[in-house]
Every structure is written in structure tokens, then in C-alpha cells.
Amino acid sequence: MKIEFYLNSELVAVDVEPMQSLLHTLRGTMGRTATKEGCGEGECGACSVLFNGRLVNACMMPISQVEGGDVMTLEGLRQTEKGLCVINALLEAKGVQCGFCTPGMVLALYALLDADPNPSEHAIRTAISGNLCRCTGYGMIVEAAKIAAQKGEGLW
Ligand code: FES
Ligand code: FES
């Protein structure tokens, strides 16, 4: 089945089984490997992307649902000022260790700050509650969100 959608603002077309996940389409069919596969069953958030501006788990979304929609992954986000603001904040706060959760975490923090430019610690922790990190203990990631809010003032 031919599916057309926007990937990082570029119109793309793929010919795949309609029930193949967006995650496997991105990574396997299209070779866009910034989006990671952790659990593959909606539990870890490693595969987080934005779909029509909303944070979703790409492993749980059949590609047929993406037809005509707008997908943003880390490949696109890191080309933007806001994406770089989040990435730099994670580096500054040392919120990246093995880095496996990081692409999903960047998308989750971006979605949070875009909706709430000055989030409380509770709001930050709630926003990343669907993203598992086995390395950092979350404190540094929360700190990164605060840095991105502060350094990105006027950007969000
Ligand atoms: S790989 Fe999608 S939620 Fe874990
Ligand atoms: S940095 Fe290793 S899982 Fe988060």
C-alpha cells in the first residue's frame, strides 16, 4: 500500500504493509534511524515522535494512520532552533549517558516546552513520565528542561 505523509516538512511516499508500524517504516524502510526502538510495545517512549504536533509512540502507530499527516522526528527537530535548545540543555545538564532514551526525551521535552514555556517541576516530571531512562535517574533531565526553558526564553 502506498502511503504519503510529511516527514520533517518533506512530502515522502512509501510502499509498505498498512499495519507496519511508523517506527519500523522510519527505521527499516526509510533508513531514518534517529528514532529508537526500546520495548516495541508502547512502554518506554524511546520511539517518541510528533504526529500532527502531538507526542506519540511510533511503535504503536500503524503506518496507514499516518497517511496525509505530519511526522517530526529528531532528524528534523535538530535542524531547528528549539530542537537545538533542548539538545544543548541536555548536554549542559549531563542528561545524556548511554543516549538510548535521548531522541524520545528530546521530543518529549520539546512537546512540553512548546505547550508550556515555563513548566513546573511537576509538569516536567509528568511530561517525561512515558519516557524511560535507565541511566540518569531523571534529575539531570528535569534540570535540562529547566535550562531549556530559561535559555530559550522568548523562543518557546
Ligand atoms: S519502543 Fe515504542 S514505546 Fe518503547
Ligand atoms: S541515558 Fe541511557 S537510557 Fe537514558
Side-chain angles (χ1 to χ4, degrees):
M1 180 179 183
K2 188 177 169 203
I3 311 278
E4 282 193 341
F5 62 103
Y6 287 88
L7 177 59
N8 299 322
S9 306
E10 180 194 345
L11 185 62
V12 293
V14 283
D15 196 358
V16 287
E17 288 296 316
M19 290 308 289
Q20 176 169 297
S21 70
L22 170 60
L23 175 64
H24 286 177
T25 304
L26 290 171
R27 290 183 58 83
T29 309
M30 305 181 77
R32 310 290 181 100
T33 53
T35 310
K36 299 300 181 226
E37 178 166 15
C39 64
E41 49 191 44
E43 298 292 336
C44 75
C47 64
S48 299
V49 299
L50 293 179
F51 178 61
N52 292 343
R54 198 168 52 87
L55 196 68
V56 298
N57 289 331
C59 69
M60 299 300 287
M61 178 166 277
I63 191 64
S64 54
Q65 280 186 15
V66 177
E67 171 72 37
D70 186 17
V71 175
M72 171 80 86
T73 69
L74 186 65
E75 284 106 341
L77 198 60
R78 69 183 170 203
Q79 310 289 339
T80 70
E81 222 178 333
K82 289 179 179 177
L84 281 177
C85 177
V86 173
I87 290 166
N88 288 335
L90 275 165
L91 292 173
E92 184 175 335
K94 302 191 172 43
V96 177
Q97 288 186 25
C98 82
F100 203 79
C101 71
T102 306
M105 216 48 103
V106 171
L107 270 293
L109 292 179
Y110 169 88
L112 165 68
L113 290 165
D114 220 33
D116 178 0
N118 197 11
S120 65
E121 175 149 346
H122 178 71
I124 297 167
R125 288 190 181 273
T126 301
I128 60 172
S129 60
N131 293 69
L132 291 184
C133 176
R134 298 179 194 282
C135 305
T136 65
Y138 300 96
M140 300 153 176
I141 295 171
V142 171
E143 184 59 26
K146 293 177 184 171
I147 292 171
Q150 188 196 11
K151 292 205 168 168
E153 198 178 347
L155 189 63
W156 301 104

